[in-house]
Amino acid sequence: MRTFLDYIDSVHALGANVLLLDETATTIKQQWFNLAAGLLTSNGQDLVSTEDWDLISPDGFWSGFTTNLGRALGPRYVDENVIRRDFTEGIVLLNEPGRDPVTIRLDAPMLTPSGQLVTSVALGDREAIVLTHPDPTSAPG
């Protein structure tokens, strides 16, 4: 996974952008993983999509594709054995394929995509989550 993310960094260094198109994702959980990978590497010009027509059709457009975490506060890094990237409006956490499940305690309460306020999150093998700050004034940076 890290090699793949590093490859995207190399593409960016050449002045190009990427499209992360998951052709095999059949669940929303898998779509979040694809979106998280895109956010971990995004230069602000990349795209993330799916071949699941039900998630990109006008009648069923998946709200995850409109996620806006604001400006990245820096590059991705490893924290508590997961890959993380911080943004002005939230964070992205990704547990790589083949890794043990992990529970991450958050510095402050954050909102899950479903709107639940949490102080920790559990991620299994090949799981990711995008969390937002509940109040923009509580965001770092």
Side-chain angles (χ1 to χ4, degrees):
M1 186 74 206
R2 292 183 202 188
T3 300
F4 175 66
L5 299 178
D6 290 344
Y7 171 76
I8 293 172
D9 292 341
S10 297
V11 171
H12 289 151
L14 295 171
N17 303 316
V18 298
L19 165 63
L20 291 181
L21 177 65
D22 194 326
E23 298 178 349
T24 61
T26 58
T27 67
I28 294 298
K29 179 176 151 181
Q30 292 168 335
Q31 296 297 344
W32 277 114
F33 188 85
N34 187 43
L35 179 61
L39 291 168
L40 287 170
T41 60
S42 181
N43 65 1
Q45 301 297 312
D46 298 324
L47 298 173
V48 176
S49 191
T50 181
E51 288 197 354
D52 185 340
W53 178 250
D54 291 335
L55 298 179
I56 56 175
S57 71
D59 294 333
F61 192 78
W62 179 51
S63 63
F65 289 133
T66 62
T67 300
N68 182 357
L69 295 179
R71 180 181 47 84
L73 296 175
R76 68 184 173 277
Y77 59 98
V78 176
D79 183 39
E80 297 190 48
N81 293 320
V82 298
I83 303 172
R84 175 178 174 154
R85 191 171 188 193
D86 301 323
F87 295 82
T88 56
E89 303 301 321
I91 64 172
V92 175
L93 302 169
L94 182 142
N95 194 18
E96 298 172 80
R99 298 283 181 163
D100 291 333
V102 62
T103 298
I104 297 101
R105 298 228 176 270
L106 304 170
D107 296 334
M110 299 194 83
L111 291 171
T112 66
S114 65
Q116 180 184 5
L117 193 64
V118 295
T119 56
S120 67
V121 292
L123 295 176
D125 168 53
R126 194 182 167 97
E127 284 188 332
I129 192 162
V130 175
L131 300 167
T132 56
H133 298 292
D135 177 347
T137 61
S138 69

